[in-house]
Short mmCIF file of all heavy atoms in Angstrom, two decimals:
data_model
loop_
_atom_site.label_atom_id
_atom_site.label_comp_id
_atom_site.label_asym_id
_atom_site.label_seq_id
_atom_site.Cartn_x
_atom_site.Cartn_y
_atom_site.Cartn_z
N LEU A 1 -3.51 -20.46 -7.90
CA LEU A 1 -2.66 -19.37 -7.46
C LEU A 1 -3.18 -18.00 -7.98
O LEU A 1 -3.22 -17.03 -7.30
CB LEU A 1 -1.21 -19.64 -7.84
CG LEU A 1 -0.18 -18.76 -7.18
CD1 LEU A 1 -0.23 -18.97 -5.68
CD2 LEU A 1 1.17 -19.12 -7.69
N LEU A 2 -3.55 -18.01 -9.32
CA LEU A 2 -4.05 -16.80 -9.95
C LEU A 2 -5.41 -16.39 -9.27
O LEU A 2 -5.68 -15.21 -9.03
CB LEU A 2 -4.22 -16.99 -11.44
CG LEU A 2 -2.94 -16.99 -12.24
CD1 LEU A 2 -3.25 -17.32 -13.68
CD2 LEU A 2 -2.20 -15.65 -12.13
N LEU A 3 -6.24 -17.36 -9.00
CA LEU A 3 -7.52 -17.07 -8.37
C LEU A 3 -7.33 -16.51 -6.96
O LEU A 3 -7.98 -15.51 -6.58
CB LEU A 3 -8.38 -18.33 -8.32
CG LEU A 3 -9.76 -18.25 -7.64
CD1 LEU A 3 -10.65 -17.33 -8.56
CD2 LEU A 3 -10.34 -19.56 -7.44
N LEU A 4 -6.45 -17.13 -6.25
CA LEU A 4 -6.14 -16.64 -4.89
C LEU A 4 -5.56 -15.24 -4.92
O LEU A 4 -5.90 -14.36 -4.10
CB LEU A 4 -5.19 -17.63 -4.18
CG LEU A 4 -4.93 -17.36 -2.69
CD1 LEU A 4 -6.23 -17.42 -1.93
CD2 LEU A 4 -3.94 -18.34 -2.12
N SER A 5 -4.63 -14.96 -5.88
CA SER A 5 -4.05 -13.61 -6.01
C SER A 5 -5.17 -12.60 -6.35
O SER A 5 -5.13 -11.51 -5.80
CB SER A 5 -3.00 -13.62 -7.06
OG SER A 5 -1.93 -14.52 -6.73
N GLY A 6 -6.03 -12.97 -7.20
CA GLY A 6 -7.12 -12.07 -7.58
C GLY A 6 -8.01 -11.72 -6.39
O GLY A 6 -8.41 -10.61 -6.21
N MET A 7 -8.32 -12.76 -5.58
CA MET A 7 -9.15 -12.53 -4.41
C MET A 7 -8.39 -11.63 -3.40
O MET A 7 -9.02 -10.77 -2.80
CB MET A 7 -9.51 -13.87 -3.74
CG MET A 7 -10.49 -14.67 -4.55
SD MET A 7 -10.80 -16.34 -3.93
CE MET A 7 -11.16 -16.03 -2.21
N LEU A 8 -7.12 -11.82 -3.22
CA LEU A 8 -6.32 -10.96 -2.30
C LEU A 8 -6.26 -9.52 -2.81
O LEU A 8 -6.35 -8.58 -1.99
CB LEU A 8 -4.95 -11.55 -2.07
CG LEU A 8 -4.91 -12.82 -1.25
CD1 LEU A 8 -3.45 -13.39 -1.21
CD2 LEU A 8 -5.34 -12.58 0.14
N ILE A 9 -6.12 -9.33 -4.10
CA ILE A 9 -6.06 -8.00 -4.67
C ILE A 9 -7.39 -7.30 -4.44
O ILE A 9 -7.46 -6.11 -4.07
CB ILE A 9 -5.67 -8.06 -6.14
CG1 ILE A 9 -4.17 -8.43 -6.28
CG2 ILE A 9 -5.92 -6.72 -6.84
CD1 ILE A 9 -3.74 -8.74 -7.70
N ARG A 10 -8.49 -8.05 -4.66
CA ARG A 10 -9.81 -7.43 -4.51
C ARG A 10 -10.06 -7.12 -3.01
O ARG A 10 -10.58 -6.01 -2.70
CB ARG A 10 -10.89 -8.44 -4.98
CG ARG A 10 -12.27 -7.94 -4.87
CD ARG A 10 -13.27 -8.88 -5.50
NE ARG A 10 -14.56 -8.59 -5.07
CZ ARG A 10 -15.39 -9.46 -4.49
NH1 ARG A 10 -15.02 -10.69 -4.35
NH2 ARG A 10 -16.58 -9.10 -4.10
N CYS A 11 -9.64 -7.99 -2.10
CA CYS A 11 -9.81 -7.72 -0.68
C CYS A 11 -8.96 -6.49 -0.27
O CYS A 11 -9.44 -5.67 0.53
CB CYS A 11 -9.41 -8.93 0.09
SG CYS A 11 -9.61 -8.79 1.87
N ASN A 12 -7.75 -6.38 -0.81
CA ASN A 12 -6.90 -5.28 -0.52
C ASN A 12 -7.52 -3.93 -1.01
O ASN A 12 -7.53 -2.91 -0.31
CB ASN A 12 -5.52 -5.48 -1.17
CG ASN A 12 -4.52 -4.40 -0.76
OD1 ASN A 12 -4.80 -3.61 0.12
ND2 ASN A 12 -3.42 -4.46 -1.39
N ARG A 13 -8.11 -3.97 -2.18
CA ARG A 13 -8.77 -2.79 -2.75
C ARG A 13 -9.94 -2.35 -1.83
O ARG A 13 -10.13 -1.16 -1.53
CB ARG A 13 -9.27 -3.04 -4.16
CG ARG A 13 -9.79 -1.79 -4.83
CD ARG A 13 -10.20 -2.08 -6.28
NE ARG A 13 -9.12 -2.61 -7.07
CZ ARG A 13 -9.25 -3.71 -7.80
NH1 ARG A 13 -10.41 -4.32 -7.97
NH2 ARG A 13 -8.19 -4.20 -8.53
N GLN A 14 -10.75 -3.30 -1.38
CA GLN A 14 -11.88 -3.00 -0.49
C GLN A 14 -11.40 -2.42 0.83
O GLN A 14 -12.01 -1.46 1.33
CB GLN A 14 -12.72 -4.27 -0.26
CG GLN A 14 -13.51 -4.70 -1.48
CD GLN A 14 -14.21 -6.03 -1.22
OE1 GLN A 14 -13.89 -6.79 -0.32
NE2 GLN A 14 -15.19 -6.35 -2.08
N LEU A 15 -10.35 -2.97 1.36
CA LEU A 15 -9.84 -2.48 2.63
C LEU A 15 -9.29 -1.06 2.44
O LEU A 15 -9.47 -0.23 3.36
CB LEU A 15 -8.75 -3.38 3.17
CG LEU A 15 -9.26 -4.75 3.73
CD1 LEU A 15 -8.09 -5.67 4.12
CD2 LEU A 15 -10.14 -4.52 4.91
N ARG A 16 -8.63 -0.76 1.33
CA ARG A 16 -8.12 0.59 1.06
C ARG A 16 -9.28 1.56 0.98
O ARG A 16 -9.18 2.67 1.47
CB ARG A 16 -7.27 0.59 -0.17
CG ARG A 16 -5.90 -0.01 0.02
CD ARG A 16 -5.15 0.05 -1.32
NE ARG A 16 -3.97 -0.72 -1.21
CZ ARG A 16 -2.73 -0.13 -1.03
NH1 ARG A 16 -2.64 1.16 -0.91
NH2 ARG A 16 -1.64 -0.88 -0.98
N GLU A 17 -10.35 1.18 0.31
CA GLU A 17 -11.53 2.05 0.19
C GLU A 17 -12.13 2.30 1.57
O GLU A 17 -12.59 3.39 1.88
CB GLU A 17 -12.58 1.43 -0.70
CG GLU A 17 -12.21 1.55 -2.19
CD GLU A 17 -12.17 2.97 -2.65
OE1 GLU A 17 -13.04 3.83 -2.25
OE2 GLU A 17 -11.24 3.34 -3.39
N GLU A 18 -12.18 1.25 2.42
CA GLU A 18 -12.74 1.41 3.76
C GLU A 18 -11.86 2.40 4.59
O GLU A 18 -12.40 3.19 5.37
CB GLU A 18 -12.83 0.04 4.44
CG GLU A 18 -13.36 0.09 5.83
CD GLU A 18 -14.82 0.51 5.96
OE1 GLU A 18 -15.53 0.53 4.95
OE2 GLU A 18 -15.23 0.90 7.05
N VAL A 19 -10.58 2.28 4.44
CA VAL A 19 -9.68 3.21 5.16
C VAL A 19 -9.92 4.63 4.67
O VAL A 19 -9.97 5.56 5.49
CB VAL A 19 -8.21 2.77 4.98
CG1 VAL A 19 -7.25 3.86 5.43
CG2 VAL A 19 -7.92 1.50 5.74
N LYS A 20 -10.07 4.84 3.38
CA LYS A 20 -10.35 6.16 2.87
C LYS A 20 -11.63 6.73 3.39
O LYS A 20 -11.75 7.88 3.76
CB LYS A 20 -10.35 6.14 1.32
CG LYS A 20 -9.03 5.99 0.69
CD LYS A 20 -9.19 6.00 -0.82
CE LYS A 20 -7.85 5.70 -1.53
NZ LYS A 20 -8.00 5.61 -2.97
N ARG A 21 -12.68 5.87 3.46
CA ARG A 21 -13.96 6.31 3.93
C ARG A 21 -13.91 6.73 5.39
O ARG A 21 -14.40 7.74 5.81
CB ARG A 21 -15.01 5.19 3.79
CG ARG A 21 -16.45 5.54 4.23
CD ARG A 21 -17.34 4.35 4.16
NE ARG A 21 -17.06 3.34 5.19
CZ ARG A 21 -17.55 3.42 6.42
NH1 ARG A 21 -18.34 4.44 6.81
NH2 ARG A 21 -17.25 2.48 7.34
N GLN A 22 -13.23 5.92 6.21
CA GLN A 22 -13.06 6.22 7.58
C GLN A 22 -12.22 7.48 7.83
O GLN A 22 -12.48 8.28 8.71
CB GLN A 22 -12.45 5.03 8.38
CG GLN A 22 -13.45 3.92 8.50
CD GLN A 22 -12.91 2.74 9.28
OE1 GLN A 22 -11.81 2.76 9.80
NE2 GLN A 22 -13.71 1.67 9.37
N ASP A 23 -11.22 7.69 6.94
CA ASP A 23 -10.45 8.92 7.02
C ASP A 23 -11.27 10.15 6.71
O ASP A 23 -11.20 11.19 7.35
CB ASP A 23 -9.25 8.82 6.06
CG ASP A 23 -8.26 9.92 6.20
OD1 ASP A 23 -7.98 10.29 7.40
OD2 ASP A 23 -7.77 10.46 5.21
N ARG A 24 -12.15 10.05 5.63
CA ARG A 24 -13.06 11.13 5.34
C ARG A 24 -13.97 11.41 6.52
O ARG A 24 -14.30 12.56 6.83
CB ARG A 24 -13.83 10.83 4.05
CG ARG A 24 -13.04 10.93 2.81
CD ARG A 24 -13.91 10.88 1.56
NE ARG A 24 -14.70 9.67 1.46
CZ ARG A 24 -14.34 8.60 0.76
NH1 ARG A 24 -13.26 8.60 0.08
NH2 ARG A 24 -15.17 7.55 0.69
N ASN A 25 -14.54 10.35 7.11
CA ASN A 25 -15.42 10.53 8.29
C ASN A 25 -14.69 11.22 9.45
O ASN A 25 -15.26 12.11 10.12
CB ASN A 25 -15.99 9.18 8.76
CG ASN A 25 -17.14 8.68 7.91
OD1 ASN A 25 -17.66 9.43 7.13
ND2 ASN A 25 -17.42 7.44 8.03
#
């Protein structure tokens, strides 16, 4: 459960960065 939570948090962080990059573009 901790491993899965960590993976979801990391995926969420990457998606947020992608949204910021597309917003800047």
Side-chain angles (χ1 to χ4, degrees):
L1 194 60
L2 287 174
L3 180 67
L4 188 60
S5 298
M7 289 173 52
L8 288 174
I9 289 171
R10 181 173 164 235
C11 183
N12 188 7
R13 187 177 305 131
Q14 288 175 343
L15 289 173
R16 286 178 188 261
E17 284 298 317
E18 180 65 18
V19 166
K20 287 180 186 177
R21 182 185 72 86
Q22 289 182 3
D23 189 41
R24 286 191 301 263
N25 281 346

